Amino acid sequence: MSSSPPFASGPLDRAAHRRTDEAWLKEAWSRARVVVVDDGHVLVREGEPPQLVLIDPAEAPEGERFFLGEEEDGTVYFAVAADVTAPEGTQRVNLRQVGHALPDLAAGLFITAVALANWHSRHPYSPLSGKLTVTAQAGWVRTTEDGEETLWPRTDPAVIMLVHDGVAGPDGRCLLGFNAQWKALGTTVPRFSTLAGFVEPGESAEMAVAREVLEEVGVKVGEVTYVASQPWPFPGSLMLGFHARAAAGAAITVDVEEIAEARWLTRAEVAEVLEGRSSEFGLPFPASIAHFLITKWLYA
Protein backbone atom coordinates (compact mmCIF):
# COMPACT_ATOMS: atom_id res chain seq x y z
CA MET A 1 0.00 0.00 0.00
CA SER A 2 1.00 3.63 -0.49
CA SER A 3 2.86 5.43 2.30
CA SER A 4 0.47 8.39 2.02
CA PRO A 5 -3.21 8.91 1.18
CA PRO A 6 -4.42 10.11 -2.23
CA PHE A 7 -3.86 13.84 -2.90
CA ALA A 8 -1.26 14.08 -0.12
CA SER A 9 1.65 14.79 -2.48
CA GLY A 10 2.17 16.25 -5.92
CA PRO A 11 4.89 17.52 -8.26
CA LEU A 12 3.22 20.77 -9.33
CA ASP A 13 4.85 24.09 -8.42
CA ARG A 14 2.02 26.45 -7.47
CA ALA A 15 4.29 29.41 -8.35
CA ALA A 16 2.52 31.87 -6.07
CA HIS A 17 4.81 34.69 -7.24
CA ARG A 18 3.14 34.52 -10.66
CA ARG A 19 -0.36 35.29 -9.37
CA THR A 20 0.08 39.07 -9.42
CA ASP A 21 2.01 39.23 -12.71
CA GLU A 22 -0.78 40.08 -15.15
CA ALA A 23 1.49 40.19 -18.20
CA TRP A 24 2.94 36.76 -17.46
CA LEU A 25 -0.50 35.28 -16.75
CA LYS A 26 -1.88 36.57 -20.05
CA GLU A 27 0.99 35.01 -21.99
CA ALA A 28 0.87 31.79 -19.95
CA TRP A 29 -2.86 31.38 -20.62
CA SER A 30 -2.21 31.32 -24.37
CA ARG A 31 -0.11 28.14 -24.01
CA ALA A 32 -1.73 26.57 -20.96
CA ARG A 33 -3.32 23.18 -20.43
CA VAL A 34 -6.80 23.70 -19.02
CA VAL A 35 -9.05 21.55 -16.84
CA VAL A 36 -12.75 22.44 -16.76
CA VAL A 37 -14.42 21.93 -13.38
CA ASP A 38 -18.19 21.75 -12.97
CA ASP A 39 -19.79 21.37 -9.53
CA GLY A 40 -16.97 19.17 -8.24
CA HIS A 41 -16.70 17.19 -11.48
CA VAL A 42 -14.20 17.06 -14.34
CA LEU A 43 -13.85 15.00 -17.50
CA VAL A 44 -11.63 11.93 -17.79
CA ARG A 45 -10.95 9.76 -20.80
CA GLU A 46 -12.41 6.31 -20.46
CA GLY A 47 -9.97 3.47 -19.91
CA GLU A 48 -7.67 2.05 -17.28
CA PRO A 49 -6.25 4.06 -15.74
CA PRO A 50 -8.49 7.08 -16.45
CA GLN A 51 -6.80 10.18 -17.85
CA LEU A 52 -7.69 13.73 -16.89
CA VAL A 53 -8.97 15.70 -19.89
CA LEU A 54 -6.86 18.82 -20.46
CA ILE A 55 -7.81 21.17 -23.29
CA ASP A 56 -6.27 24.09 -25.14
CA PRO A 57 -7.23 27.64 -24.08
CA ALA A 58 -8.98 28.20 -27.42
CA GLU A 59 -11.35 25.34 -26.58
CA ALA A 60 -12.02 26.47 -23.01
CA PRO A 61 -15.54 27.71 -22.16
CA GLU A 62 -16.20 31.08 -20.56
CA GLY A 63 -15.89 31.04 -16.77
CA GLU A 64 -13.73 32.08 -13.84
CA ARG A 65 -10.09 31.17 -14.42
CA PHE A 66 -7.73 29.86 -11.76
CA PHE A 67 -3.97 29.56 -12.24
CA LEU A 68 -3.01 26.18 -10.77
CA GLY A 69 0.76 26.19 -11.29
CA GLU A 70 3.56 25.16 -13.60
CA GLU A 71 5.97 22.27 -14.06
CA GLU A 72 9.75 22.49 -14.25
CA ASP A 73 9.59 22.18 -18.05
CA GLY A 74 7.40 25.30 -18.24
CA THR A 75 4.06 23.60 -18.80
CA VAL A 76 1.36 25.81 -17.28
CA TYR A 77 -2.02 24.70 -15.91
CA PHE A 78 -5.23 26.63 -15.42
CA ALA A 79 -8.73 25.64 -14.38
CA VAL A 80 -11.99 27.12 -15.63
CA ALA A 81 -15.23 26.85 -13.66
CA ALA A 82 -17.99 26.17 -16.19
CA ASP A 83 -20.64 23.67 -17.23
CA VAL A 84 -19.18 20.57 -18.81
CA THR A 85 -20.76 17.90 -20.99
CA ALA A 86 -18.98 14.63 -21.59
CA PRO A 87 -18.26 13.98 -25.29
CA GLU A 88 -17.91 10.46 -26.59
CA GLY A 89 -15.01 8.58 -25.01
CA THR A 90 -15.05 10.64 -21.81
CA GLN A 91 -16.86 10.59 -18.49
CA ARG A 92 -17.93 13.36 -16.07
CA VAL A 93 -16.61 12.19 -12.69
CA ASN A 94 -15.96 13.37 -9.14
CA LEU A 95 -13.02 12.80 -6.84
CA ARG A 96 -14.59 9.85 -5.05
CA GLN A 97 -14.95 7.96 -8.31
CA VAL A 98 -11.46 8.26 -9.79
CA GLY A 99 -9.23 10.31 -7.48
CA HIS A 100 -7.31 7.28 -6.24
CA ALA A 101 -6.62 6.06 -9.79
CA LEU A 102 -5.11 9.28 -11.15
CA PRO A 103 -1.36 10.00 -11.13
CA ASP A 104 -0.18 12.59 -8.62
CA LEU A 105 -0.06 15.52 -11.07
CA ALA A 106 -3.57 14.94 -12.43
CA ALA A 107 -4.98 14.31 -8.95
CA GLY A 108 -3.39 17.53 -7.71
CA LEU A 109 -4.84 19.55 -10.58
CA PHE A 110 -8.26 17.97 -9.98
CA ILE A 111 -8.46 18.61 -6.26
CA THR A 112 -7.02 22.14 -6.42
CA ALA A 113 -9.44 23.12 -9.18
CA VAL A 114 -12.40 21.75 -7.22
CA ALA A 115 -11.27 23.43 -3.99
CA LEU A 116 -10.90 26.84 -5.63
CA ALA A 117 -14.16 26.57 -7.56
CA ASN A 118 -16.02 25.61 -4.39
CA TRP A 119 -14.57 28.53 -2.46
CA HIS A 120 -15.34 31.10 -5.15
CA SER A 121 -18.92 29.89 -5.56
CA ARG A 122 -19.53 30.38 -1.82
CA HIS A 123 -18.06 33.86 -1.49
CA PRO A 124 -19.73 36.20 -3.97
CA TYR A 125 -20.08 38.80 -1.19
CA SER A 126 -17.85 40.07 1.58
CA PRO A 127 -18.83 38.67 5.00
CA LEU A 128 -17.73 41.98 6.54
CA SER A 129 -19.57 44.56 4.44
CA GLY A 130 -21.85 42.59 2.13
CA LYS A 131 -20.16 44.16 -0.89
CA LEU A 132 -19.90 42.21 -4.13
CA THR A 133 -16.52 40.51 -4.62
CA VAL A 134 -14.66 39.59 -7.80
CA THR A 135 -11.84 37.16 -8.59
CA ALA A 136 -8.28 38.50 -8.33
CA GLN A 137 -4.69 37.26 -8.24
CA ALA A 138 -5.32 34.52 -10.79
CA GLY A 139 -8.12 32.97 -8.74
CA TRP A 140 -6.40 32.89 -5.36
CA VAL A 141 -8.12 35.95 -3.92
CA ARG A 142 -11.51 37.65 -3.99
CA THR A 143 -11.70 41.38 -3.53
CA THR A 144 -14.42 44.01 -3.43
CA GLU A 145 -14.75 46.02 -6.61
CA ASP A 146 -13.37 49.09 -4.86
CA GLY A 147 -10.37 47.08 -3.60
CA GLU A 148 -11.23 47.84 0.02
CA GLU A 149 -11.46 44.25 1.23
CA THR A 150 -9.59 41.08 0.29
CA LEU A 151 -10.64 37.50 1.01
CA TRP A 152 -8.39 34.45 0.83
CA PRO A 153 -9.49 30.82 0.43
CA ARG A 154 -10.47 29.15 3.69
CA THR A 155 -9.36 25.69 4.75
CA ASP A 156 -11.17 24.18 7.72
CA PRO A 157 -9.22 21.64 9.82
CA ALA A 158 -11.08 18.41 10.51
CA VAL A 159 -9.95 15.27 12.33
CA ILE A 160 -10.65 11.78 11.04
CA MET A 161 -9.66 8.81 13.16
CA LEU A 162 -9.56 5.06 13.19
CA VAL A 163 -10.25 3.86 16.74
CA HIS A 164 -8.69 0.46 17.51
CA ASP A 165 -7.97 -1.73 20.51
CA GLY A 166 -4.20 -2.15 19.98
CA VAL A 167 -4.48 -5.93 19.66
CA ALA A 168 -2.23 -7.49 17.01
CA GLY A 169 -3.31 -10.14 14.52
CA PRO A 170 -6.68 -11.10 13.00
CA ASP A 171 -8.55 -10.73 16.31
CA GLY A 172 -7.56 -7.07 16.73
CA ARG A 173 -10.57 -4.80 16.37
CA CYS A 174 -11.34 -1.35 15.06
CA LEU A 175 -14.44 0.74 15.68
CA LEU A 176 -16.32 1.90 12.57
CA GLY A 177 -19.59 3.77 12.24
CA PHE A 178 -22.47 3.97 9.75
CA ASN A 179 -23.32 7.63 9.27
CA ALA A 180 -26.93 8.58 10.01
CA GLN A 181 -27.09 10.71 6.86
CA TRP A 182 -26.11 7.74 4.69
CA LYS A 183 -28.89 5.68 6.28
CA ALA A 184 -31.38 8.46 5.60
CA LEU A 185 -30.46 8.25 1.90
CA GLY A 186 -31.70 4.67 1.88
CA THR A 187 -28.36 2.90 1.49
CA THR A 188 -29.12 -0.81 1.06
CA VAL A 189 -25.75 -2.04 2.36
CA PRO A 190 -24.40 -0.06 5.35
CA ARG A 191 -21.09 1.64 4.60
CA PHE A 192 -18.96 1.65 7.74
CA SER A 193 -16.22 4.24 8.02
CA THR A 194 -13.96 6.02 10.47
CA LEU A 195 -15.26 8.73 12.77
CA ALA A 196 -14.61 12.38 11.96
CA GLY A 197 -15.40 15.93 12.99
CA PHE A 198 -14.25 19.53 12.82
CA VAL A 199 -11.69 21.04 15.17
CA GLU A 200 -13.38 23.60 17.41
CA PRO A 201 -11.94 27.00 18.45
CA GLY A 202 -9.37 26.71 21.24
CA GLU A 203 -8.88 23.00 20.63
CA SER A 204 -5.90 20.97 19.43
CA ALA A 205 -6.34 18.24 16.84
CA GLU A 206 -5.69 15.58 19.49
CA MET A 207 -8.30 17.10 21.78
CA ALA A 208 -10.78 17.09 18.90
CA VAL A 209 -10.15 13.38 18.28
CA ALA A 210 -10.93 12.47 21.88
CA ARG A 211 -13.99 14.74 22.02
CA GLU A 212 -15.50 13.56 18.74
CA VAL A 213 -15.09 9.86 19.58
CA LEU A 214 -16.67 10.37 22.99
CA GLU A 215 -19.54 12.41 21.54
CA GLU A 216 -20.30 10.10 18.63
CA VAL A 217 -19.89 6.63 20.16
CA GLY A 218 -19.37 7.18 23.90
CA VAL A 219 -15.87 5.66 23.91
CA LYS A 220 -12.87 7.19 25.67
CA VAL A 221 -9.57 7.03 23.78
CA GLY A 222 -6.08 7.13 25.22
CA GLU A 223 -3.10 7.21 22.86
CA VAL A 224 -3.76 9.38 19.80
CA THR A 225 -1.21 9.10 16.96
CA TYR A 226 -1.04 11.33 13.89
CA VAL A 227 -0.83 9.36 10.63
CA ALA A 228 -1.25 11.65 7.59
CA SER A 229 -3.36 14.46 6.12
CA GLN A 230 -5.45 14.91 2.99
CA PRO A 231 -7.03 17.96 1.36
CA TRP A 232 -10.76 17.34 0.89
CA PRO A 233 -12.63 20.14 -0.91
CA PHE A 234 -16.20 19.35 0.20
CA PRO A 235 -16.47 22.21 0.62
CA GLY A 236 -12.95 23.10 1.87
CA SER A 237 -11.46 20.86 4.53
CA LEU A 238 -8.04 19.58 5.47
CA MET A 239 -8.48 16.11 6.93
CA LEU A 240 -5.98 15.35 9.69
CA GLY A 241 -5.79 11.57 10.01
CA PHE A 242 -5.14 9.75 13.30
CA HIS A 243 -5.14 6.33 14.90
CA ALA A 244 -6.65 6.37 18.40
CA ARG A 245 -6.46 3.54 20.92
CA ALA A 246 -9.35 2.55 23.16
CA ALA A 247 -9.99 -0.24 25.64
CA ALA A 248 -10.72 -3.57 23.95
CA GLY A 249 -14.45 -4.12 23.61
CA ALA A 250 -15.36 -0.73 25.10
CA ALA A 251 -19.13 -0.28 25.24
CA ILE A 252 -20.60 1.79 22.40
CA THR A 253 -23.32 4.40 22.88
CA VAL A 254 -24.05 6.19 19.63
CA ASP A 255 -25.27 9.73 19.11
CA VAL A 256 -28.25 8.81 16.92
CA GLU A 257 -28.23 12.20 15.18
CA GLU A 258 -24.72 11.49 13.91
CA ILE A 259 -24.29 7.71 13.82
CA ALA A 260 -26.93 5.14 12.85
CA GLU A 261 -24.80 2.22 14.02
CA ALA A 262 -21.26 1.54 15.21
CA ARG A 263 -19.44 -1.76 15.56
CA TRP A 264 -16.19 -3.25 16.74
CA LEU A 265 -14.91 -5.22 13.72
CA THR A 266 -12.00 -7.64 13.64
CA ARG A 267 -9.17 -7.43 11.15
CA ALA A 268 -10.45 -10.67 9.66
CA GLU A 269 -13.93 -9.18 9.10
CA VAL A 270 -12.56 -5.97 7.57
CA ALA A 271 -10.16 -7.90 5.33
CA GLU A 272 -12.98 -10.07 3.98
CA VAL A 273 -14.90 -7.00 2.83
CA LEU A 274 -11.87 -5.09 1.57
CA GLU A 275 -10.67 -8.07 -0.45
CA GLY A 276 -14.12 -8.79 -1.89
CA ARG A 277 -14.80 -12.02 -0.02
CA SER A 278 -17.79 -10.56 1.84
CA SER A 279 -20.49 -7.99 1.05
CA GLU A 280 -22.00 -7.81 4.54
CA PHE A 281 -21.12 -4.12 4.73
CA GLY A 282 -19.29 -1.50 2.72
CA LEU A 283 -16.08 0.41 3.42
CA PRO A 284 -14.92 3.93 2.43
CA PHE A 285 -14.03 4.84 -1.15
CA PRO A 286 -10.36 4.19 -2.05
CA ALA A 287 -9.85 7.92 -2.73
CA SER A 288 -10.57 8.81 0.91
CA ILE A 289 -8.16 9.10 3.81
CA ALA A 290 -10.63 6.94 5.77
CA HIS A 291 -9.78 4.05 3.45
CA PHE A 292 -6.07 4.76 3.93
CA LEU A 293 -6.35 4.78 7.74
CA ILE A 294 -8.23 1.48 7.72
CA THR A 295 -5.80 -0.30 5.38
CA LYS A 296 -2.77 1.04 7.27
CA TRP A 297 -4.16 -0.49 10.47
CA LEU A 298 -5.32 -3.66 8.72
CA TYR A 299 -1.94 -4.54 7.24
CA ALA A 300 0.22 -3.26 10.11
Side-chain angles (χ1 to χ4, degrees), residues 243-256:
H243 282 169
R245 187 167 177 172
I252 296 171
T253 304
V254 300
D255 176 352
V256 295

Side-chain angles (χ1 to χ4, degrees), residues 8-96:
S9 61
L12 189 67
D13 179 0
R14 296 192 174 206
H17 63 288
R18 302 287 198 188
R19 297 172 187 170
T20 56
D21 189 337
E22 293 296 334
W24 184 91
L25 289 167
K26 182 178 180 180
E27 187 279 328
W29 169 256
S30 68
R31 56 184 170 84
R33 307 299 292 150
V34 182
V35 55
V36 181
V37 58
D38 175 16
D39 190 26
H41 294 74
V42 301
L43 294 181
V44 296
R45 291 187 177 85
E46 295 175 345
E48 293 296 336
Q51 295 182 329
L52 183 67
V53 172
L54 295 165
I55 61 176
D56 292 330
E59 302 171 348
E62 291 296 320
E64 288 190 317
R65 297 179 190 174
F66 317 132
F67 168 58
L68 302 180
E70 60 181 331
E71 292 187 88
E72 288 186 0
D73 65 2
T75 304
V76 178
Y77 297 94
F78 279 78
V80 172
D83 294 338
V84 63
T85 301
E88 185 176 354
T90 69
Q91 288 181 302
R92 181 178 180 272
V93 297
N94 61 31
L95 277 168
R96 292 180 177 88

Side-chain angles (χ1 to χ4, degrees), residues 103-158:
D104 284 347
L105 175 61
L109 295 172
F110 192 162
I111 201 164
T112 305
V114 171
L116 284 173
N118 283 347
W119 178 72
H120 282 283
S121 70
R122 286 166 169 78
H123 293 82
Y125 300 97
S126 166
L128 299 177
S129 65
K131 293 179 180 178
L132 185 68
T133 63
V134 294
T135 304
Q137 294 189 24
W140 289 90
V141 159
R142 292 192 72 85
T143 184
T144 52
E145 292 183 312
D146 58 12
E148 182 180 343
E149 300 170 39
T150 301
L151 310 176
W152 285 267
R154 284 287 307 274
T155 297
D156 297 318

Side-chain angles (χ1 to χ4, degrees), residues 133-222:
T133 63
V134 294
T135 304
Q137 294 189 24
W140 289 90
V141 159
R142 292 192 72 85
T143 184
T144 52
E145 292 183 312
D146 58 12
E148 182 180 343
E149 300 170 39
T150 301
L151 310 176
W152 285 267
R154 284 287 307 274
T155 297
D156 297 318
V159 292
I160 183 165
M161 46 278 178
L162 179 74
V163 179
H164 65 91
D165 61 8
V167 175
D171 294 330
R173 296 174 183 266
C174 70
L175 196 164
L176 300 180
F178 177 32
N179 192 291
Q181 291 183 353
W182 297 343
K183 184 176 182 179
L185 292 173
T187 306
T188 54
V189 177
R191 183 180 298 276
F192 283 85
S193 186
T194 53
L195 306 178
F198 286 102
V199 180
E200 294 186 345
E203 186 176 55
S204 70
E206 290 81 1
M207 290 165 65
V209 168
R211 175 184 53 77
E212 286 287 347
V213 174
L214 187 62
E215 288 177 354
E216 293 189 354
V217 294
V219 172
K220 291 184 178 181
V221 297

